[in-house]
Amino acid sequence: MGIQTAMDRITESASIVEAMRAGDDLAFEAGRDPGVRTLRVLSAALAGDDDLAAIAAVHALAEMNDEEAVRLLSSLLSSPRPYIVEHAAHALGRRPARPEAVGRLVRLVAEGGFGGMLAQHTLEKWSTGAAELLAVALESACTGTLSHEARARLVETLGLVRHPLAVRPLRAWATDASEPASVRHAAVAALGQRREPAAISALEGIVVEGGALGELARLALIDAEPPSTARGGVEGLTVGQLFLHTDVDSTLSAAGAGDNGGIATLLVRLGDALVTETSAVQRVLTLSRGTAAQAAPDLLQVAGGGIGHLYGHIPLDAPPVSSASAWPLRVSVRRGIRRLLRAAGRVDVLHLRMADVGSLAAADVARELGIPTVFTVAPDPHSVISALERAGTLTRKDFGQADLAEHYWFRTHLVQSLAASAAHSVFFPRPELEADMQTLLGIDMSSHPERHTVVAEGVDLAVVDRAVERARLVADGADPTGALAELAGLLDALPEARRGLPLLVTVGRMHRVKGTATLVRVWAEGPLADAANLLVIGGDLEHPSADEREQLDLIRAAIPPAQHASRGLLLPGHRSNDVAAEWLAAARFGVPGRSAADGVYVCASLKEEFGLAILEAMATGLLVVAPDSGGPATYVEDGESGFLTQTGDPVTLATAIGRALERASAGEQGPAGRGRALVAERFTIQAMAAKLAPVYESVASKEAELQRAAEELV
């Protein structure tokens, strides 16, 4: 189409997502015609005020086999616009090493953050052809006046350089007791990626020291061992799945804290169902964050050939951070995933679900170990971008600053990369699924349909039914116990005049995309506050993440904490899945003397790819309010089982909640029965496991065929 036409498609696109997709065509045209005219068009875009065009131009420069273009790209590392610097650091990874750029990339690594991760990634790629140059540059940089954390990042990066020159300084830093702990930890972990006798000897000495560093050295020695192909007694399939951003446990004790939302609940319930309800899967390995002290026992359990649903921890001893801030952990995460998957022997399939640092690292490990991946494709962050653009809070002229915080460009392309490299893609049901995948992601689902499967997520009805039975007993006069007694205590703090009102309930992560603060404000600032109390289940109130703090600050601005109880706001923080289920049931049946029956569940998310909590509320018998796009629109019957609305618009959200409360107050039992019947028929965790097991079997079978064919050629 030509470079100018490709650029016009970006600048004239009707939406931000469309412009981002057009950026791929611009890069293709730049690579096809790397001439003077192309360089001028890209330079003009870089000088303009259209952030999207400028970012697209950065990546197009990387596709040009032209010295002037690469020189310009390298110079962008000194741009006054931080988002251009980040994209230049990323794009340079697609070019051979540039000596003049090494120093600036090393500085970015030292500064840390997302840009530091991108710079480190590029230096790692360059290390295959310029290892000596990078080893010298990184060792020299470590001798400068830097913070402990900056030095640790540089030491970690030096550990990625496969050159004998790197061993001596790594060994020196690892064994020097006067070095800061963070520097020693980085050096010890790096030595585990090497098999030189000097590295092994140093690690063995540090193990003797004991303590946290000794634990890490023990793990590093495991990393240094040759891979084992032992399978133990596992005959059926082994499926790996990953959620990095919390310590996932079988009791779901941290549900709703930090980034621990519905995905953690799903993985626990699904892993259990796969090994108990299907014959194909004998072992599920669920990986999540943890500590070095947890990691060693996990390795023994995984390597011991145990079957069933096993949990493995990736040692990340720093305080938990949000998914948006976790990108600098890429190397540590990759090492932890690699260690666990190697210990497991043969892993047949690795199922990835999010475009985050965990999936980025896991995809690298899967390529190294030859494990096929299944990827659940969701238009995230595409849907968020579209919602923010519709609301007028994100435009192409301020896209750069938003991208600096949320990494939209990188994440959208990571989704494309993970989908392209997956052996099989899984999709959530959506009203216009094929059209949305084509428009938002450029995926043609009609091409190789045998590699695409639509799978609805599912809930565990046994948990819901137990909760309903307990809440019904309390509504009939029994004394509340356990979780319901705790809820009764919360309701007792309300003024007596408010104890005759029903509950509005929302469950999930406390995050702007989830609309937590928006819901509180919509409820507090209008007549809804006179019609119902509001129970917000989710968020770590004692140690909030940055995203949680943002939402809590907005909630406090709407209702000062001292007024929460008097105005009917209950903010208990996160609770386990079982507790949340009982509280939802109590919203339906009421708590005599404390809360009226016929409450309503509200999901105020800007986007909801599927919505497990909505399904759980429907199975409980609650009317729901949910987004009118994405997954909920495939199962919420508007005006019957709930109300679909544009949750990004406070007015329409408030109207939908009001209609739901009015409908619930009529006391009709029809919606309650239909909600549970719908979930039982289409959305149980057992049905989800039954749909996924054949996918895993097919992927493993085809991979075995590929392996046999490859072996025949040797």
Side-chain angles (χ1 to χ4, degrees), residues 127 334 424 471 497:
S127 68
R334 185 173 65 189
H424 200 98

Side-chain angles (χ1 to χ4, degrees), residues 229-251:
T229 58
R231 179 72 186 256
V234 182
E235 297 298 329
L237 296 179
T238 292
V239 176
Q241 55 182 8
L242 170 74
F243 183 60
L244 177 67
H245 304 293
T246 189
D247 179 348
V248 177
D249 63 85
S250 59
T251 65

Side-chain angles (χ1 to χ4, degrees), residues 99-140:
E100 75 275 13
V102 169
R104 281 172 286 181
L105 289 171
V106 168
R107 283 198 295 273
L108 280 174
V109 171
E111 290 169 6
F114 183 72
M117 182 276 289
L118 295 175
Q120 184 187 65
H121 202 186
T122 291
L123 291 174
E124 182 179 9
K125 291 179 180 179
W126 285 0
S127 68
T128 58
E132 184 173 355
L133 169 66
L134 297 183
V136 172
L138 287 162
E139 182 181 2
S140 298

Side-chain angles (χ1 to χ4, degrees), residues 1-12 26 29 37-38 40-42 44:
M1 69 176 68
I3 193 68
Q4 187 62 63
T5 302
M7 182 59 76
D8 290 343
R9 284 192 58 205
I10 295 173
T11 58
E12 297 171 4
L26 183 75
E29 291 298 329
R37 168 75 176 154
T38 295
R40 287 174 181 165
V41 170
L42 299 181

Side-chain angles (χ1 to χ4, degrees), residues 667-682:
E668 298 178 35
Q669 294 305 305
R674 287 195 295 272
R676 191 197 180 284
L678 173 73
V679 174
E681 180 182 354
R682 296 171 50 194

Side-chain angles (χ1 to χ4, degrees), residues 16 20 48 107 124 141 193 372 408 450 557 593 602 680 704:
I16 290 174
M20 294 171 72
R107 283 198 295 273
E124 182 179 9
Q193 310 304 303
Y408 290 134
E450 72 279 4
V602 183

Side-chain angles (χ1 to χ4, degrees), residues 143-233:
T143 63
T145 304
L146 298 167
S147 68
H148 299 336
E149 292 75 16
R151 284 191 66 216
R153 288 188 283 269
L154 294 176
V155 170
E156 178 183 75
T157 308
L158 180 59
L160 303 175
V161 179
R162 300 296 184 181
H163 194 280
L165 282 176
V167 176
R168 180 192 53 78
L170 289 174
R171 187 175 187 274
W173 292 322
T175 56
D176 187 349
S178 67
E179 286 284 359
S182 58
V183 173
R184 294 192 72 190
H185 282 212
V188 166
L191 288 175
Q193 310 304 303
R194 301 170 184 278
R195 295 178 186 157
E196 292 92 339
I200 302 302
S201 174
L203 291 173
E204 290 173 342
I206 295 168
V207 168
V208 176
E209 289 185 26
L213 194 65
E215 291 274 7
L216 187 59
R218 193 183 305 277
L219 294 177
L221 283 170
I222 294 172
D223 292 341
E225 293 175 357
S228 170
T229 58
R231 179 72 186 256

